Structures are given as structure tokens and as C-alpha cells.
Amino acid sequence: VERLKVIFHVSDRSRWNYALTSVTNFLLDAGAENVEAEVLANGPAVTAYTGEKTELVARMEDLNRSGVKFLACRNALRAHGIAEEAVPHFVTVVPAGITVLATRQRDGYAYIKP
Amino acid sequence: VERLKVIFHVSDRSRWNYALTSVTNFLLDAGAENVEAEVLANGPAVTAYTGEKTELVARMEDLNRSGVKFLACRNALRAHGIAEEAVPHFVTVVPAGITVLATRQRDGYAYIKP
Amino acid sequence: VERLKVIFHVSDRSRWNYALTSVTNFLLDAGAENVEAEVLANGPAVTAYTGEKTELVARMEDLNRSGVKFLACRNALRAHGIAEEAVPHFVTVVPAGITVLATRQRDGYAYIKP
């Protein structure tokens, strides 16, 4: 059986808590081994990707250990003055977040905006 | 011809009015008999699913009579202290809303976040 | 290679700036010649489609020259008292925005809510 593929799109910083709860509940319900889950942040949401281990970053890291990929839009990092070296080690920087959201959907991922 | 399939995702309580207007306009335009429409509520939006017949619940019930399915995320009901028996009779409780949003899209439903 | 197809959904007026930046970054990254991009406005977002050449309208017109299509939901125009003749010449009015969002996704477009 093919894994259930989902890309979550987070653009507002205030939505991170709700977004991470959504991802967590999804893994608990469907089983981490049965899903491919990615979280793409662009817009002001990228400001949560700080080097400091905030509670949000700790929750992301836990989810990453369960296989969830975290992505940051380079355009958004630049717009918010965040150096790429400042984002947590488990975050992958992509050239443009929208292109990733488009290609993932073309490749069969569901899109969810928490 | 296959019916046009759509799942609407409502997570903020303040978006219900706009969401129900969107669903209504969709049925009027495409024809209720030509669509499969579902509304999945999670997050604080589930607090609109009360036993009281509010104006929102009355509009949902009208849409349900036209074939629109209403779903509630069990995790969200619990998080907001709502007993499953308290939701309107036409609402189906699902274990995890995100899993439904993912599987519907895998099965050809369009995703719309009003 | 098939073009990467995306429909952007804008419903809040306050999201236009971010939405247009998203579309612009997408064209720069993927190449305008490699994409089919449409922007569907419904809800209060249609109030940005005014005859006056605001900064937003000027940015839309630039994107339109690069091939981006702009659509307005007729129901939303009516609800906000906007005459169809008042919208910019490059905007196409559609009977119901939700039907367009549904058919585009059925036809392989990715959905993005900026």
C-alpha cells in the first residue's frame, strides 16, 4: 500500500502551534510508518525557525525524528533577515516554497493549510 | 459524468459563515446533484457543532438535506471539551480530521480552505 | 514537459500583498514560460479589483503581462456591491469561484491558499 502523502503549508507564525498539533494527530492516527509528511513554511512563519531551541522548535525536532520533513522558503528567510545558517539543522532550505507546494501536489501529495 | 468532489476545511470558528456561503454558492452553481461536498471541521471550528439550533447549525442542516456531509475531528472535540453526543445528529465524528483531508484528496476530491 | 499548474485562492483582502509576492516568486523560480498560474479571488478579496490603478492592481497587471490569469467570483462581486464593469480589464468574472477551484484541481492544478 502506498504511503499517504501530505504537505502542510504554514505561512502565519501564529498558526505553528495548531499546525504541529495537526501533524502530530495525523501521525498518531495514520501511523508514522504509513505517511510521508512535509511541512513547508514561507512568509512570516519562517521566523519560528530559529537557532534557539524554543518549545516550537523542540516539537518540530520530535516530529522530525518521526520522519516529518521541515522545509523553509529561501525568499521568506531573506525577506525576514534570517541567515540560512541560523535555521535548525533538521530544516531544509528550498529556493521557492510555492514551487515545492506545486510539485508535491503534482506528485500526489495532499495539500493542507492548517 | 463523474460528480465534482470537494472537501472544505474549516478550522477557525469565525470562518463558518463564509464557508457555508461558499458551499451554498457551489451547490447553486454546479447543481447539488452534480457534486459530492463534504465539510471537515477541526480546531476551534468544532465549537460551532452544538446541540443548540443556532443559525449556523440551521444552515448546515439545510445544506445536509441537499447532500452535503458534515464531519467533526474527534481530537478537536476532545480538546474543546465537547461530548460526541452533543454534536448535531447530521454530523459524523471522525478519529482525525487531517487523515480524512488526506485520503479524500488521494481519492480525487478538491481541497478548499474557505 | 507539462507546465506546472497552480491556482491561488485569495479570499481576505489583507492577503493580497502576500499572495502577489508568492505568485511573483513562483514565476521567478519556475520560469513564467513553465507554469500556468491563476489567481481566483472571492469573498472580501474581490474589493481589491477596482478600476482605480492602485499599487495592488498595478502589480496584478504586471503579473498578467507575464501570463498570470486573474479571476473574480461573481457572487462575491455582487455581495460587495461591485459592478462587473468596474473590475480591471485583465480580470475574468466567473459565475462561482468555488466551482473554478474544484474544476481546476480536477484538471491537475495544485491549490495554494496564500
Side-chain angles (χ1 to χ4, degrees):
Chain A
V1 180
E2 207 188 357
R3 285 170 173 234
L4 200 49
K5 298 182 286 188
V6 179
I7 188 152
F8 293 87
H9 178 200
V10 187
S11 45
D12 291 332
R13 181 154 180 158
S14 64
R15 305 299 280 187
W16 268 113
N17 182 46
Y18 168 56
L20 296 179
T21 300
S22 291
V23 178
T24 303
N25 287 338
F26 176 50
L27 295 192
L28 288 171
D29 181 60
E33 68 283 9
N34 301 316
V35 309
E36 294 279 355
E38 301 194 15
V39 179
L40 180 284
N42 68 356
V46 297
T47 62
Y49 286 149
T50 70
E52 283 177 84
K53 193 147 173 178
T54 61
E55 196 197 320
L56 282 178
V57 169
R59 289 175 69 195
M60 292 175 199
E61 201 166 6
D62 276 350
L63 286 166
N64 178 254
R65 277 192 212 101
S66 300
V68 179
K69 290 178 189 152
F70 286 85
L71 310 172
C73 172
R74 179 173 291 140
N75 292 312
L77 290 174
R78 285 184 187 158
H80 292 86
I82 300 169
E84 292 189 32
E85 308 77 53
V87 307
H89 65 90
F90 59 82
V91 175
T92 302
V93 178
V94 298
I98 301 294
T99 308
V100 172
L101 294 173
T103 53
R104 287 294 186 280
Q105 288 183 73
R106 186 197 58 194
D107 297 342
Y109 278 67
Y111 170 91
I112 294 177
K113 184 88 190 260
Chain B
V1 180
E2 207 188 357
R3 287 169 171 233
L4 200 48
K5 297 180 286 187
V6 180
I7 189 152
F8 294 86
H9 178 200
V10 188
S11 46
D12 291 332
R13 181 154 179 158
S14 65
R15 306 297 281 186
W16 268 113
N17 182 46
Y18 168 56
L20 295 180
T21 300
S22 291
V23 178
T24 302
N25 287 338
F26 176 52
L27 295 192
L28 288 171
D29 181 61
E33 69 283 9
N34 302 316
V35 308
E36 295 278 354
E38 302 193 16
V39 180
L40 181 283
N42 68 354
V46 298
T47 62
Y49 285 149
T50 68
E52 282 178 84
K53 194 147 170 178
T54 62
E55 196 198 319
L56 282 177
V57 169
R59 290 176 68 195
M60 292 176 198
E61 200 166 5
D62 276 351
L63 286 166
N64 178 254
R65 279 193 211 100
S66 300
V68 179
K69 288 178 191 153
F70 287 85
L71 310 172
C73 172
R74 180 172 291 140
N75 291 312
L77 291 174
R78 284 185 187 157
H80 292 86
I82 300 168
E84 291 190 33
E85 309 76 53
V87 307
H89 64 89
F90 58 83
V91 176
T92 303
V93 178
V94 299
I98 300 296
T99 309
V100 172
L101 294 172
T103 53
R104 288 294 186 279
Q105 289 182 75
R106 188 196 58 194
D107 296 343
Y109 278 67
Y111 170 90
I112 294 177
K113 184 89 190 258
Chain C
V1 181
E2 206 188 358
R3 287 169 171 234
L4 200 48
K5 298 180 286 187
V6 180
I7 189 152
F8 294 87
H9 179 201
V10 188
S11 46
D12 290 333
R13 183 160 176 152
S14 64
R15 306 297 280 187
W16 268 113
N17 182 47
Y18 167 57
L20 296 179
T21 300
S22 291
V23 177
T24 303
N25 287 339
F26 176 50
L27 295 192
L28 287 171
D29 180 61
E33 69 283 8
N34 302 317
V35 309
E36 296 277 355
E38 302 194 16
V39 180
L40 181 283
N42 68 356
V46 298
T47 61
Y49 286 149
T50 69
E52 283 178 85
K53 194 145 171 180
T54 60
E55 196 198 319
L56 282 178
V57 169
R59 289 176 68 195
M60 292 176 199
E61 200 165 6
D62 277 350
L63 287 167
N64 179 253
R65 279 194 211 100
S66 299
V68 180
K69 289 179 190 151
F70 287 85
L71 310 172
C73 172
R74 179 172 291 139
N75 291 313
L77 290 174
R78 284 185 187 156
H80 293 86
I82 300 168
E84 291 189 31
E85 308 78 51
V87 306
H89 65 89
F90 59 82
V91 176
T92 302
V93 178
V94 299
I98 301 294
T99 308
V100 172
L101 294 172
T103 54
R104 289 294 186 279
Q105 288 183 74
R106 187 198 56 195
D107 297 343
Y109 279 67
Y111 170 91
I112 293 177
K113 184 87 191 260

